[in-house]
Amino acid sequence: MTKRTPTGAAVLQPQVTRAITDAVLDELALHGYGRLSMEAVAKRAEVGKSALYRRWPSKQDMVVAALSEFSVPLAEVPDTGSLRGDLLATVRAVHDWLTHPRFATILPDLTAEAARTPALAEAIAATIGEPRRALGAVTLRRAVERGELPADLDVEIALDLVAAPVYWRLSVRRAEVEPDYLERLVDHLMRALQC
């Protein structure tokens, strides 16, 4: 007896998953986490609710998966060959992430919701925060291997130091980022990391 390849509902179609992910991000941007519903996402993606539940067991899982798929790749920074180049690419990537038209609207609401919902905060940390930090750690360790950073670098504090100023300026202060701000920031980061 030969095995039959699953068809139809048993196969998750990538284009459907992409449409759902886009719908999740759009609904989050428009209505926030608290008012987001599986029904609204399904309607926007033009799929049945069952298509959502085949992929994720809950709204939280769906939202975290969509945000992870969007956020983690934006933290991938190529090796530019120098610490300064890598830091500049990193802060630009953080800036682009935080100013993305969808995400800039989603982040404040999601931050507030995560403060109220520990399970959501833990899921975001595990699927977005930790993978993004792991990618940042690769960049810093490359610089250590090249001799541009000290071997005893505190990677955890360095990661906080690199990303925090951009987040603080954009998300907390709501201040403008002047054309040379990121380069000036990298100059300060280079000194702070004792290069």
Side-chain angles (χ1 to χ4, degrees):
M1 212 165 142
T2 60
K3 282 190 172 181
R4 221 169 46 97
T5 303
T7 59
V11 176
L12 296 181
Q13 299 171 357
Q15 70 273 17
V16 173
T17 303
R18 179 78 247 153
I20 295 169
T21 300
D22 287 342
V24 170
L25 296 175
D26 287 342
E27 286 294 313
L28 276 173
L30 284 172
H31 304 294
Y33 184 86
R35 291 184 17 199
L36 181 135
S37 70
M38 299 293 262
E39 293 82 4
V41 169
K43 183 177 179 181
R44 182 178 289 274
E46 298 180 353
V47 298
K49 273 190 357 184
S50 61
L52 278 59
Y53 286 109
R54 276 196 297 277
R55 288 162 175 80
W56 308 284
S58 69
K59 173 175 113 170
Q60 177 179 300
D61 292 325
M62 178 182 68
V63 166
V64 170
L67 287 170
S68 175
E69 184 180 320
F70 168 77
S71 298
V72 174
L74 294 177
E76 295 173 4
V77 175
D79 184 351
T80 67
S82 73
L83 174 61
R84 189 174 199 296
D86 288 355
L87 287 175
L88 192 53
T90 299
V91 296
R92 283 182 176 148
V94 172
H95 174 270
D96 292 348
W97 179 50
L98 295 174
T99 59
H100 186 279
R102 277 181 179 152
F103 194 68
T105 307
I106 293 168
L107 183 61
D109 173 71
L110 199 62
T111 301
E113 190 65 41
R116 292 187 292 268
T117 313
L120 177 62
E122 289 171 19
I124 290 169
T127 61
I128 300 167
E130 290 171 21
R132 284 183 62 90
R133 288 180 72 82
L135 290 168
V138 168
T139 299
L140 293 173
R141 288 191 183 99
R142 271 196 316 247
V144 170
E145 289 169 10
R146 288 190 300 244
E148 296 175 292
L149 287 175
D152 64 348
L153 176 73
D154 187 327
V155 173
E156 285 300 307
I157 289 179
L159 288 169
D160 289 345
L161 187 61
V162 171
V166 181
Y167 174 80
W168 183 262
R169 187 173 191 94
L170 292 170
S171 299
V172 178
R173 288 187 56 218
R174 305 292 237 183
E176 186 178 329
V177 173
E178 300 88 3
D180 67 337
Y181 172 77
L182 296 177
E183 291 195 13
R184 288 187 293 121
L185 173 60
V186 167
D187 292 339
H188 282 275
L189 290 172
M190 296 283 285
R191 289 194 294 274
L193 295 171
Q194 300 176 356
C195 302

